[in-house]
Amino acid sequence: MQPLLLLVTFILLQGDEAGKIIGGREARPHSYPYMAFLLIQSPEGLSACGGFLVREDFVMTAAHCLGGSINVTLGAHNIQRQERTQQHITVLRAVPHPNYNPQIIRNDIMLLQLSRQIRRNRAVQPVALPQASKRLQPGDLCTVAGWGRVSPSRGTNVLQEVQLRVQRDQKCSGRFESFSSETQICVGNPRERKSAFRGDSGGPLVCNNVAQGIVSYGDSNGTPPAVFTRIQSFMPWIKRTMRRLAPRHRRTADSLSRAQTNSRGFP
Ligand SMILES: *[C@@H]1O[C@H](CO)[C@@H](O)[C@H](O)[C@H]1NC(C)=O
């Protein structure tokens, strides 16, 4: 079965009802203060992804959301409105994982260094990342939030949430040829019509208040389970990258021209 990347392009999904988290409900406004909405401009056009704040100056998302330029909105509930809680920030650098493989969708993780620090408040706060010691278990209950697709012309576009259970690795390895239990998590009970779907790419899987996964791909009709990037297995790279791009380097980086934003293949 052809896996479907869960990002969304505006062109593809005109009038398509399948664009939201499936089987979810509207989230209580600002109950996911780490949620980021990403608007991506690339030669193919505009697209949208989810992301999540992991530090005052870093948002995490999926590597397949990489585009020419990315704008981040934090503190949003309805992304079609101008809410007073919203903070709009441009991306200084996009750092996809150096081993991201778009053919088989492995290592689908990316860090976005923001052009300035966010203002931390009730509506905007980072989420915790996993400890090295505790691995997720099948049956663990987690939450995924996302705006699903965005149509410039219609839709409510309020943040949706859904609760999903971690599945045994075999549920995904039997279904997706390139599934790797080392670096990926299998999520969503096949007997329930609940899943992340198009437009939710890059959003977090949060279990016990810790971001454990990143929405990566699923099958084309949205039947669970879906595949999430296992954040825990990337912690050394995440720490190294955020340390390397520490704030003291920002002043020089800030003065670089906008053309150098999103340096593809930054090591
Ligand atoms: C991102 O924000 C900048 C500055 O506010 C704006 O000029 C640009 O058009 C925006 N890009 C997208 C893709 O929304």
Side-chain angles (χ1 to χ4, degrees):
M1 196 171 309
Q2 185 67 20
L4 176 83
L5 286 168
L6 298 174
L7 97 171
V8 65
T9 63
F10 288 93
I11 306 138
L12 276 177
L13 292 168
Q14 295 285 327
D16 178 1
E17 265 316 303
K20 287 193 284 197
I21 274 182
I22 295 167
R25 58 169 184 218
E26 182 176 344
R28 188 165 51 79
H30 313 301
S31 53
Y32 296 90
Y34 45 79
M35 274 304 296
F37 176 76
L38 312 184
L39 198 57
I40 302 143
Q41 175 82 66
S42 61
E44 296 81 44
L46 274 181
S47 57
C49 271
F52 48 104
L53 191 68
V54 294
R55 215 173 76 176
E56 270 82 356
D57 54 348
F58 277 97
V59 162
M60 189 175 286
T61 184
H64 76 258
C65 293
L66 185 65
S69 85
I70 305 178
N71 285 359
V72 176
T73 303
L74 291 151
H77 182 60
N78 185 328
I79 40 97
Q80 289 296 306
R81 297 219 180 114
Q82 295 192 330
E83 300 164 317
R84 285 170 54 190
T85 48
Q86 290 180 6
Q87 297 184 39
H88 302 276
I89 307 182
T90 53
V91 169
L92 180 64
R93 271 200 204 85
V95 190
H97 193 278
N99 301 124
Y100 167 55
N101 181 334
Q103 273 76 48
I104 57 170
I105 322 173
R106 286 266 184 89
N107 308 312
D108 192 8
I109 181 170
M110 173 160 72
L111 280 165
L112 304 176
Q113 186 183 24
L114 304 178
S115 58
R116 59 177 169 84
Q117 296 209 356
I118 52 95
R119 289 185 308 278
R120 200 193 258 255
N121 58 35
R122 181 183 62 84
V124 179
Q125 276 167 48
V127 65
L129 292 172
Q131 305 289 315
S133 53
K134 253 180 68 193
R135 196 179 154 101
L136 278 181
Q137 297 299 321
D140 283 355
L141 192 61
C142 306
T143 306
V144 179
W147 283 275
R149 80 184 168 94
V150 174
S151 151
S153 55
R154 67 188 196 88
T156 60
N157 298 312
V158 293
L159 187 65
Q160 304 285 311
E161 64 181 2
V162 68
Q163 288 200 315
L164 300 173
R165 278 191 200 279
V166 174
Q167 305 295 304
R168 278 208 288 248
D169 294 330
Q170 294 90 310
K171 284 256 166 65
C172 278
S173 48
R175 202 173 173 130
F176 304 107
E177 237 170 60
S178 61
F179 179 79
S180 148
S181 59
E182 281 290 296
T183 58
Q184 291 171 319
I185 314 170
C186 186
V187 181
N189 186 336
R191 289 193 298 267
E192 291 180 69
R193 183 99 184 126
K194 295 206 293 192
S195 185
F197 201 43
R198 295 179 184 181
D200 294 321
S201 271
L205 177 80
V206 175
C207 321
N208 283 321
N209 301 314
V210 175
Q212 294 280 359
I214 306 172
V215 178
S216 184
Y217 68 90
D219 81 27
S220 52
N221 56 16
T223 308
V227 176
F228 287 63
T229 304
R230 190 183 290 278
I231 294 173
Q232 193 178 39
S233 62
F234 295 97
M235 283 312 293
W237 175 76
I238 293 165
K239 287 181 179 160
R240 220 166 43 233
T241 303
M242 295 203 299
R243 203 181 309 127
R244 186 167 54 85
L245 304 176
R248 65 192 169 83
H249 300 305
R250 285 165 52 109
R251 199 172 303 270
T252 35
D254 269 336
S255 64
L256 293 174
S257 72
R258 188 116 333 124
Q260 281 178 281
T261 308
N262 306 334
S263 57
R264 188 185 280 263
F266 203 90

